[in-house]
Amino acid sequence: MVLGDEDPISDVKHEFGAQHTAEKLRVVAEYLPLYTTALKNQPFKLHYVDAFAGAGICNIKDGETRVEIEGSASIAMRCEPPFHKMVFIEKERKHIDRLRAMLDTAGRRNYELKQGDANEHLPDVMRQLGRDRAIVFIDPYGMQLAWSTLEAVARSKVADVWYLFPLSAFYRQAARDASGIDEDKKRALTRMMGTDEWEKDLYAPKRQAGLFDDAPGYEREAGPLQMLEWVTRRLEKIFPYVAEPKVLYAHLSSGAQGAPLFALYFMISNDKHNAIALAKKFAQHSLKRA
């Protein structure tokens, strides 16, 4: 759904991403109606929670041009059957205003907008769900998501989670040569991963370059995909089920595949066998179709 020219804030744009953005959104668009259809007659309510909601519309780069596509919030708004309630968390005031205008234009009243840091708001949202169920979509800006926030989602036991992990930010900040990681970067990496074990797990002493090199330092031997395996093992410590992530790569102008940019994870906080089996089936279908 795109607002018309008469909308006073229709020029509010959220310019980011490229073809990988469209890829992740296609997966989510496939999954949401499968979820609400399967659970529409259950005694609990269904919630959609978008932790970094944006403006509802994305202007992505497609080759040399920019293309406007629906964002995750807009996709959730038009999901049929609809969610009983939608919660959108976003820092930017202009994006909140755009979302409100889109929701009101669509006649939606079953929503809540929260302006601010997802790390502050999301744990509260999860606690308030009680015995209801939720799809939680987490697409952070860079490394803004704290591990403690993921733990709060996992503890809820009622959420299916789509998490776009910032793989390129992870391996850029965790530089190949450990001497390139200052204290600020160390704190950011530890906050995102919930542990400082990445230092000992991903790094090893350098081989001495020469006879008089007494302090060779440390270097990262793991490549991006090996680092992603480490991330998966971390996530498996707090979620009962973690699917193999879909790696999203840069698309080069030549048509070739570029560097890995993100990893789209699907995770389930509910530890019941039937819940895992159903959600896993829908996720596999969505990843295959998108």
Side-chain angles (χ1 to χ4, degrees), residues 73-93:
S74 183
I75 290 169
M77 288 179 207
R78 64 173 178 80
C79 177
E80 293 293 339
F83 289 91
H84 293 99
K85 184 177 180 180
M86 298 177 290
V87 180
F88 302 103
I89 305 169
E90 171 56 42
K91 266 189 173 183
E92 292 286 339
R93 177 84 257 171

Side-chain angles (χ1 to χ4, degrees), residues 253-273:
S253 57
S254 63
Q257 179 176 279
L261 299 178
F262 299 94
L264 182 60
Y265 276 100
F266 177 72
M267 306 175 294
I268 302 171
S269 67
N270 193 327
D271 57 7
K272 300 293 191 297
H273 175 76

Side-chain angles (χ1 to χ4, degrees), residues 32 35-49 76-77 79-88 103 107-112 129 131-135:
L32 297 188
Y35 177 89
T36 57
T37 298
L39 301 180
K40 65 181 180 180
N41 294 323
Q42 295 298 316
F44 45 75
K45 292 182 178 179
L46 306 179
H47 300 246
Y48 173 81
V49 182
M77 288 179 207
C79 177
E80 293 293 339
F83 289 91
H84 293 99
K85 184 177 180 180
M86 298 177 290
V87 180
F88 302 103
L103 286 155
R108 298 289 193 183
R109 295 292 179 266
N110 59 333
Y111 71 86
E112 184 175 1
L129 289 174
R131 295 184 178 181
D132 288 344
R133 300 291 186 270
I135 296 291

Side-chain angles (χ1 to χ4, degrees), residues 2-12 97-98 101-102 105:
V2 181
L3 291 176
D5 295 335
E6 71 280 1
D7 172 43
I9 58 170
S10 61
D11 61 342
V12 175
D97 292 341
R98 176 66 182 265
M102 293 180 71
T105 299

Side-chain angles (χ1 to χ4, degrees), residues 12 64 69 77 87 113 122 143 181 212 220 224 226 257 279:
V12 175
E64 298 302 316
I69 64 172
M77 288 179 207
V87 180
L113 297 173
L122 188 53
M143 296 168 56
I181 309 175
F212 301 104
R220 173 169 55 78
Q226 291 171 304
Q257 179 176 279

Side-chain angles (χ1 to χ4, degrees), residues 56-283:
I57 297 294
C58 305
N59 288 75
I60 67 170
K61 190 174 182 181
D62 186 4
E64 298 302 316
T65 62
R66 299 202 75 88
V67 179
E68 189 173 272
I69 64 172
E70 287 186 308
S72 55
S74 183
I75 290 169
M77 288 179 207
R78 64 173 178 80
C79 177
E80 293 293 339
F83 289 91
H84 293 99
K85 184 177 180 180
M86 298 177 290
V87 180
F88 302 103
I89 305 169
E90 171 56 42
K91 266 189 173 183
E92 292 286 339
R93 177 84 257 171
K94 62 182 180 180
H95 292 168
I96 287 284
D97 292 341
R98 176 66 182 265
L99 287 171
R100 181 178 290 108
M102 293 180 71
L103 286 155
D104 291 346
T105 299
R108 298 289 193 183
R109 295 292 179 266
N110 59 333
Y111 71 86
E112 184 175 1
L113 297 173
K114 293 180 176 291
Q115 184 183 4
D117 187 347
N119 293 301
E120 296 176 4
H121 286 297
L122 188 53
D124 286 339
V125 171
M126 301 311 297
R127 282 192 291 269
Q128 293 167 13
L129 289 174
R131 295 184 178 181
D132 288 344
R133 300 291 186 270
I135 296 291
V136 180
F137 183 62
I138 305 175
D139 183 1
Y141 306 118
M143 296 168 56
Q144 290 187 4
L145 184 73
W147 184 262
S148 59
T149 304
L150 276 179
E151 289 179 317
V153 175
R155 283 195 301 269
S156 74
K157 300 295 183 184
V158 297
D160 290 359
V161 184
W162 288 99
Y163 173 32
L164 191 73
F165 180 78
L167 179 57
S168 63
F170 186 35
Y171 63 73
R172 285 199 310 269
Q173 296 300 307
R176 179 71 68 176
D177 191 319
S179 64
I181 309 175
D182 59 25
E183 289 304 314
D184 286 343
K185 289 181 179 179
K186 282 185 179 181
R187 282 192 290 270
L189 288 163
T190 297
R191 176 175 178 268
M192 182 176 73
M193 297 312 311
T195 180
D196 60 5
E197 291 181 359
W198 56 270
E199 294 185 66
K200 68 178 181 63
D201 292 345
L202 301 179
Y203 288 82
K206 289 182 181 178
R207 295 178 182 178
Q208 288 183 309
L211 179 63
F212 301 104
D213 188 357
D214 295 326
Y218 288 80
E219 64 182 356
R220 173 169 55 78
E221 297 183 334
L225 298 185
Q226 291 171 304
M227 295 174 75
L228 191 60
E229 292 175 358
W230 182 86
V231 173
T232 299
R233 292 195 294 272
R234 285 289 299 156
L235 291 168
E236 288 173 340
K237 291 180 181 295
I238 60 173
F239 285 95
Y241 175 78
V242 179
E244 181 179 351
K246 177 182 177 66
V247 180
L248 303 178
Y249 294 86
H251 293 266
L252 304 180
S253 57
S254 63
Q257 179 176 279
L261 299 178
F262 299 94
L264 182 60
Y265 276 100
F266 177 72
M267 306 175 294
I268 302 171
S269 67
N270 193 327
D271 57 7
K272 300 293 191 297
H273 175 76
N274 290 344
I276 292 176
L278 184 64
K280 181 179 176 181
K281 175 184 175 181
F282 291 161

